[in-house]
Amino acid sequence: MRPRVTSVGLILPPPPPENFDFPAHIDGASLAALPARPGVYFFRNQRGDAIYIGKSVNIRSRVQAHLRAAEEMTMLAATRRVDFMQTAGEIGALLLESQLIKRHQPAFNVLLKFSGASFTLYLPQDSHRLRVVDADECDACQADGLYGLFASRSDAEQALHALVRREQLCPAMLGLESTTHGRACFAHQIGRCRGACIGRETGQAHAQRLRLALTALQAAVWPHGGPIGIIEQEGKWRQVHVIDCWSYIGSLPGRRSRIALPARHGIDIDTYKILAKPLAEGRLAYVTCAVTQSRAGRFATIPARISDLAALPSPQ
C-alpha cells in the first residue's frame, strides 16, 4: 500500500510489524549496504540485469518501502540483489535515473523508458509564418527563430493558438488561416485581430508585435551559449552535472574537470522537465563550461575555480 490522497485526506500505509522479515531470496548484504543518502538504486535479477531502477533522497528508506509493498510482489520475486549509485543530491539522482532507465529499459519501469519527441515554434528570418517543428530535427542550440519547448505537437499548437488570441495577432498573416486577398480573416471579424490582413495594421508593426510576444518563449529552448555545469554538494562531496541543450551529458565528481561531449545529441524532454523551472527560478547553482576540440573529440570543461576546490572522492 502506498501513500495516497483521497476525499477524506492523506492515507498512509501502516507501519510494518516489528517482526517483519525482508525476502530471504534477496541478498542481505546488498540490502545492508544501502545508504540513507541520495542516489539511484537497482533491483537486479539472477543474471544481474536491472529489472527496476529508482531514485530517492534516502536510498535505504525507499528500498525498504519497496520490500514492504504487496503490489510489487512480482518484481520482488524476480529480484536477487539491490545495488545503488550515490549522488550528491536530488537533482543528480533525478538526472541519473532518467538516463539509466532509457539506457537499460528495465522491465518493471513504466515511466521515463523512452525519450519523447520535443517540439518548438519556428519563425524563419524574413518571414511571418510561424510553425511547429520537431526540435530534434533542428539544431536547437544554434538556430535562431526557435521559441519555446513543448512535450508534444498538440501542446505546441495549443501554445501557438493561445499566443495568437492573447496578442490579437492575425492568423492569416501567420499562415494559420487561409483567406481571400482583400478580405478580413475570421479573427478580425469577431474582434480578435487588429487588421493586418486588410491593411489596418502594417505588416512591419504586426511582425514587431509577434517577435516581442515570442521573446519570453525563446529562453525556454536553451538560454545558454553552450554546456553548463550544475553544482550539487553533500558535505564535502561535490558533483557537477553537465547539461547541454537540455541533454544530460554526465556528472563530474571531485577534481575531475572535463567530460567528453557526444558528436550529436537531441533535446531530452525529461531533462528539460527536471531542470527548466529550478534553473529559471535561480534555485540551482551553475557555471558555464568551456568547449574544447582535439583529436580525441569535443570536451566540456568546468572553470578552474570549481575544479580546484578540495573534494572527497565519490562514496563507495
Side-chain angles (χ1 to χ4, degrees), residues 115-120 133-140 264-269:
S115 294
S118 53
F119 297 85
T120 184
V133 298
D134 189 330
D136 291 333
E137 294 177 358
C138 54
D139 191 342
R264 181 175 176 79
H265 58 81
I267 291 172
D268 181 0
I269 196 66

Side-chain angles (χ1 to χ4, degrees), residues 54-118:
K55 59 87 184 58
S56 178
V57 294
N58 185 323
I59 296 173
R60 175 185 291 273
S61 176
R62 186 69 188 94
V63 169
Q64 289 178 352
H66 281 291
L67 299 177
R68 298 176 182 125
E71 66 270 25
E72 297 182 4
M73 184 179 303
T74 302
M75 180 187 77
L76 296 176
T79 300
R80 292 298 177 269
R81 74 174 193 275
V82 181
D83 295 332
F84 69 93
M85 293 177 65
Q86 191 173 323
T87 63
E90 183 178 16
I91 290 295
L94 287 165
L95 293 169
L96 186 59
E97 178 200 35
S98 176
Q99 182 188 70
L100 292 176
I101 288 175
K102 292 180 179 68
R103 181 183 300 169
H104 296 290
Q105 299 288 298
F108 289 93
N109 283 97
V110 178
L111 302 177
L112 302 176
K113 289 182 75 168
F114 304 101
S115 294
S118 53

Side-chain angles (χ1 to χ4, degrees), residues 6 10 17 19 32 43 46 65 67 99-100 102 151 164 181 193 196 206 241 244-245 248 277 279 281 304 313:
T6 70
L10 178 65
N19 61 349
F43 282 73
Q46 186 70 41
L67 299 177
Q99 182 188 70
L100 292 176
K102 292 180 179 68
V164 172
H181 180 69
C193 164
H206 183 271
H241 313 301
D244 189 23
C245 293
Y248 172 51
K277 185 175 181 179
L279 276 173
E281 294 176 348

Side-chain angles (χ1 to χ4, degrees), residues 287-309:
V287 293
T288 300
C289 299
V291 177
T292 57
Q293 181 80 44
S294 69
R295 292 182 179 179
R298 295 173 65 246
F299 294 87
T301 304
I302 62 175
R305 67 180 184 275
I306 298 296
S307 59
D308 287 348
L309 290 176

Side-chain angles (χ1 to χ4, degrees), residues 93-285:
L94 287 165
L95 293 169
L96 186 59
E97 178 200 35
S98 176
Q99 182 188 70
L100 292 176
I101 288 175
K102 292 180 179 68
R103 181 183 300 169
H104 296 290
Q105 299 288 298
F108 289 93
N109 283 97
V110 178
L111 302 177
L112 302 176
K113 289 182 75 168
F114 304 101
S115 294
S118 53
F119 297 85
T120 184
L121 304 181
Y122 179 48
L123 182 66
Q125 290 185 347
D126 303 323
S127 173
H128 51 257
R129 297 296 180 101
L130 188 63
R131 67 179 192 268
V132 175
V133 298
D134 189 330
D136 291 333
E137 294 177 358
C138 54
D139 191 342
C141 297
Q142 302 296 331
D144 294 327
L146 299 181
Y147 301 92
L149 190 60
F150 307 93
S152 69
R153 183 176 293 275
S154 63
D155 286 348
E157 291 173 346
Q158 290 177 19
L160 171 56
H161 289 285
L163 178 75
V164 172
R165 290 193 302 271
R166 184 172 63 250
E167 303 297 331
Q168 294 188 327
L169 297 167
C170 179
M173 293 286 287
L174 297 177
L176 302 177
E177 178 184 321
S178 59
T179 185
T180 304
H181 180 69
R183 295 188 60 180
C185 68
F186 179 73
H188 181 69
Q189 296 176 39
I190 61 175
R192 294 182 179 176
C193 164
R194 296 185 184 180
C197 47
I198 54 173
R200 292 190 178 180
E201 180 183 35
T202 66
Q204 181 180 5
H206 183 271
Q208 288 177 343
R209 288 200 303 116
L210 171 61
R211 292 190 180 277
L212 182 62
L214 290 170
T215 299
L217 292 176
Q218 188 171 34
V221 177
W222 181 243
H224 310 281
I228 63 170
I230 297 173
I231 304 165
E232 197 168 32
Q233 189 150 346
E234 183 193 37
K236 294 183 178 180
W237 182 42
R238 186 197 64 244
Q239 283 185 310
V240 180
H241 313 301
V242 179
I243 313 296
D244 189 23
C245 293
W246 301 119
S247 179
Y248 172 51
I249 308 302
S251 297
L252 295 169
R255 294 184 181 275
R256 285 188 57 195
S257 62
R258 76 171 191 167
I259 190 169
L261 293 171
R264 181 175 176 79
H265 58 81
I267 291 172
D268 181 0
I269 196 66
D270 293 316
T271 297
Y272 169 77
K273 291 176 181 177
I274 292 169
L275 297 177
K277 185 175 181 179
L279 276 173
E281 294 176 348
R283 291 189 277 120
L284 300 178

